[in-house]
Amino acid sequence: MSDLPESERSRLSAFGEPRVSRVLASHPDPDGTLKLEIGLFDGQSVECVMLTDYEGRKTACLSTQVGCPMACAFCKTGTLGFSRNLSRAEIVEQLYHLKTQGQQASNVVFMGMGEPLLNLEELRAAIAVIHHPDGLNISLRKITISTCGLCKGIRDLADSGPLVRLAVSLTTADPELRRRLMPVAASNPLPELKKALLYYQEKTQDRITLEAAIMGNANSRPEDVKAMVDFCRGLKAQVNLIPWNPVPELPFSEPKRGQIEDFERALTDAGLTVTRRMRRGRGVSGACGQLGSVKPRSGEPAPEEDD
Ligand code: SF4
C-alpha cells in the first residue's frame, strides 16, 4: 500500500500479514454448475462449486482442507494427500468469491475438498459467520457437514455444535468392503459409527443423510442392500445415491444403465427412504468426488485422529 506513509505501513504490518485468497480460474459448466479454483496466500489452491437445482436453488459446496488425508479409494481429492487445513477466513471467502461471480448461495454443504470434522475449530468459526445475521444469514438447517464417518468428530459436533445437518459418506455398510474403499473404517467401525449417529440424532431429532457413491463394479450387490438396510434400522436416515463420477486414474466404473434404479428399488422395497443425486458439474470435473484437478504444493503429515 504505497499510498500510505511509511509509519502507517509499518504500524499495519505489525498487525500481521494479509492472507487473502483470490479466484484463479472460473469453470462454468453448461448444466449451470460453476466451479472456482481459489488461490491461497501460500500458493496452494482449493476448489469450490455452486450447484443450481431444477428449482433454481443454489447450493455452495465448499472445501475445508487443501487435499485430504482420508484417502477414500473412489475420490479424486483422496489421491492428492493432505497439505493443510483451511483457515476460517479461507472457508468463508469461498462463498464471497462465488458471490462476486453472481452466485449467491441459499444452502451450503461442506462436501468439497477435505474432511470437515478434522478442521472443526476453523469450521465452527466459519459457520458462525455464515449463519450470523450480519454475515451471510444462512440458517443452520440449510448448512450440511458431510463426513466420511469420524465418530469422535460427530460426537464433538453433537456436544458443542453447531447442530447443522449431518451427512455421512457411507458408501456401503458391508464392513469388509467399506474397509477396502475407505481407510477411515479401520478405526471407525460401523457399529461405532451407528452409535455416534444415534447420539447426534438424539440431539437434533433430525434426519441424517447417508451418501453412497455407486460404482458399477463395487457396491451395489445384493449384500450391499442387505447391509444398508441393517445399518439403517433404528436410524432416522435418508439414503442418497450418487452415480459415481469418473476419475480416470481410479479403478472403478460408472454404474451401468438401470443399476442405480435397481439398487434404489431394492432399498425402497425394504422400507428405506432413498433419493438420487442430480448429475451436475461433470463437464468441469466439479461433480462429487472429482475435485482436485490442481495438486496441493507439498505434503505435510496428516492430522492425527485420536479416536
Ligand atoms: S470422499 Fe471426502 S473424506 Fe474421502 S478422500 Fe474424498 S474428500 Fe476426503
Side-chain angles (χ1 to χ4, degrees), residues 65 67-79 111-116 146-148 169 182 289:
Q65 297 184 311
C68 182
M70 304 315 295
C72 302
F74 47 84
C75 170
K76 168 74 185 177
T77 313
T79 67
M111 291 184 190
M113 299 170 73
E115 164 53 56
S146 176
T147 173
C148 62
S169 288
M182 303 181 75

Side-chain angles (χ1 to χ4, degrees), residues 237-293:
Q238 148 182 306
V239 178
N240 188 215
L241 301 179
I242 307 160
W244 183 72
N245 294 300
V247 177
E249 61 266 45
L250 298 182
F252 300 105
S253 61
E254 291 185 66
K256 291 191 195 72
R257 184 181 276 273
Q259 204 171 357
I260 290 231
E261 288 76 3
D262 291 346
F263 193 62
E264 179 180 5
R265 200 170 312 110
L267 293 175
T268 312
D269 288 349
L272 301 191
T273 307
V274 185
T275 54
R276 259 197 282 160
R277 179 84 57 88
M278 298 181 300
R279 275 204 159 108
R280 282 282 192 269
R282 285 165 61 135
V284 293
S285 292
C288 179
Q290 292 184 316
L291 295 188
S293 38

Side-chain angles (χ1 to χ4, degrees), residues 83-161:
S83 187
R84 69 169 172 88
N85 281 332
L86 294 187
S87 68
R88 57 197 69 189
E90 288 168 333
I91 296 172
V92 175
E93 280 172 14
Q94 294 171 64
L95 274 176
Y96 282 103
H97 289 311
L98 287 163
K99 203 171 164 189
T100 59
Q101 310 273 319
Q103 304 276 332
Q104 173 111 26
S106 53
N107 293 60
V108 174
V109 294
F110 293 98
M111 291 184 190
M113 299 170 73
E115 164 53 56
L117 295 183
L118 286 180
N119 189 14
L120 196 45
E121 204 186 315
E122 294 303 304
L123 180 57
R124 275 195 177 109
I127 289 176
V129 173
I130 292 167
H131 175 53
H132 196 283
D134 293 336
L136 289 149
N137 200 16
I138 295 179
S139 136
L140 292 183
R141 293 187 59 75
K142 294 188 168 184
I143 300 175
T144 302
I145 291 179
S146 176
T147 173
C148 62
L150 294 171
C151 303
K152 183 170 173 279
I154 293 170
R155 286 176 183 274
D156 189 353
L157 196 62
D159 289 336
S160 307

